[in-house]
Amino acid sequence: MKFDVFHLRMFAFVSMFVDHAAFLFLLPSSFFYVLCRSFGRVAFPLFFFLSLEGVYHTKNIRAYIFRLAVLAFVSQPFYTLFFQADNLNVVFQLLNCVFFAAFLRDFKGGVDWLYLPMFLPLSGFSDYGIYPLLFVALYVAYRRQKLDNIRFMIIWVLLCAAYTIDLFCSAAFSAVLIAFYTGDSGRNIHKWISYSFYPVHMILLMIVRCIL
């Protein structure tokens, strides 16, 4: 059993869609609501893993960061309307982590962890706090030391277990997929189609909700 970027991305899309559909259409007290939202938590670690893979595979890091920034700002009004939230959407957290990963990737000396506070302010306005930045530092170490996927995922799951049970469960489930990740890109999807899924799926779900 092997998974490439395409497989992980499709799984993340499906789990996120199920999560948000449950949020909008199901009663919080129902069993299926809990089941669907738990399944949806798998999208978070997969998207973060893929965004960091992008740091190492992109030919133009500035263009990559620009696309994420555009997605973050375009998605914010739809995110606010969809969740009735006053915090930043998760793409801002992705953007922050990509900055951090690119910094660590190119940094040649000293102790990487000492620079973590530089990237903390934006984390305070996102759902997952400092956890994604810890994941970035772990991911860069995994890249530098050429750890295999299994060892990397064991460390990651243990880190999540010490943080929250919610993150532990999502990390443990996604670990199965990432452990068999091959590093190949797989089937090609146009980058802007991939990026647009986040705001577009929220728009479509809100339209369906209005119709019903």
Side-chain angles (χ1 to χ4, degrees), residues 54-72:
V55 172
Y56 282 82
H57 290 289
T58 184
K59 297 178 181 178
N60 188 333
I61 188 64
R62 291 183 180 180
Y64 182 52
I65 290 174
F66 174 76
R67 290 193 297 270
L68 277 178
V70 170
L71 176 62

Side-chain angles (χ1 to χ4, degrees), residues 20-169:
H20 292 171
F23 174 82
L24 208 60
F25 296 107
L26 299 181
L27 293 175
S29 58
S30 69
F31 169 76
F32 285 107
Y33 176 88
V34 176
L35 182 65
C36 291
R37 300 227 63 193
S38 298
F39 174 68
R41 291 295 181 267
V42 180
F44 168 75
L46 290 179
F47 278 128
F48 269 83
F49 179 79
L50 292 174
S51 68
L52 298 182
E53 281 287 286
V55 172
Y56 282 82
H57 290 289
T58 184
K59 297 178 181 178
N60 188 333
I61 188 64
R62 291 183 180 180
Y64 182 52
I65 290 174
F66 174 76
R67 290 193 297 270
L68 277 178
V70 170
L71 176 62
F73 282 102
V74 169
S75 301
Q76 186 60 36
F78 304 113
Y79 172 85
T80 302
L81 185 61
F82 190 93
F83 290 102
Q84 297 297 301
D86 57 2
N87 61 318
L88 296 177
N89 67 72
V90 72
V91 184
F92 281 103
Q93 187 72 284
L94 285 175
L95 183 63
N96 194 35
C97 289
V98 164
F99 269 118
F100 189 35
F103 177 83
L104 295 184
R105 181 195 64 179
D106 299 330
F107 187 69
K108 303 301 181 184
V111 182
D112 295 343
W113 292 82
L114 293 179
Y115 293 88
L116 186 105
M118 294 169 53
F119 300 87
L120 287 179
L122 187 60
S123 298
F125 297 96
S126 301
D127 288 337
Y128 296 97
I130 192 178
Y131 159 73
L133 296 180
L134 298 177
F135 176 68
V136 171
L138 172 61
Y139 175 86
V140 174
Y142 148 77
R143 275 281 183 173
R144 287 178 177 173
Q145 299 178 24
K146 296 180 171 57
L147 299 176
D148 61 75
N149 288 347
I150 299 294
R151 291 167 63 194
F152 168 62
M153 290 312 304
I154 290 174
I155 298 172
W156 182 23
V157 171
L158 290 176
L159 175 64
C160 293
Y163 198 77
T164 67
I165 186 63
D166 186 40
L167 289 175
F168 167 72
C169 293

Side-chain angles (χ1 to χ4, degrees), residues 160-190:
C160 293
Y163 198 77
T164 67
I165 186 63
D166 186 40
L167 289 175
F168 167 72
C169 293
S170 62
F173 198 91
S174 63
V176 177
L177 301 176
I178 298 177
F180 293 97
Y181 172 63
T182 63
D184 299 325
S185 60
R187 190 179 304 176
N188 185 44
I189 301 178
H190 193 280

